[in-house]
Amino acid sequence: MWLGGVYAVTGDEDRAIAQVARYVEHLRPPPSPPFRGFADIAKLRSEPRFEALLNDPKNNAPLF
């Protein structure tokens, strides 16, 4: 996740979102509320692709 934060802080939103997508894909349980609070990726909160990633039902599916 830290690499996504580095990309976000340096302004590379495409790479940041790609890293966040990889992280979300492998993280269970879903990251929604606490994940949104990471300071490094705060810049991405207004990015529609970031919101779509977090709101995608497949990323919010329960573990079991």
Side-chain angles (χ1 to χ4, degrees):
M1 180 61 225
W2 64 270
L3 188 54
V6 170
Y7 288 139
V9 169
T10 60
D12 193 341
E13 291 179 357
D14 292 333
R15 284 186 175 169
I17 290 173
Q19 288 296 319
V20 170
R22 276 193 202 120
Y23 183 75
V24 169
E25 189 176 299
H26 295 96
L27 183 68
R28 291 292 183 253
S32 295
F35 189 72
R36 294 174 193 270
F38 287 153
D40 293 351
I41 58 171
K43 230 180 133 174
L44 298 177
R45 284 189 218 142
S46 62
E47 173 66 45
R49 295 175 293 168
F50 178 70
E51 285 300 316
L53 180 67
L54 292 185
N55 293 324
D56 187 333
K58 75 176 182 180
N59 295 331
N60 290 303
L63 184 56
F64 296 102

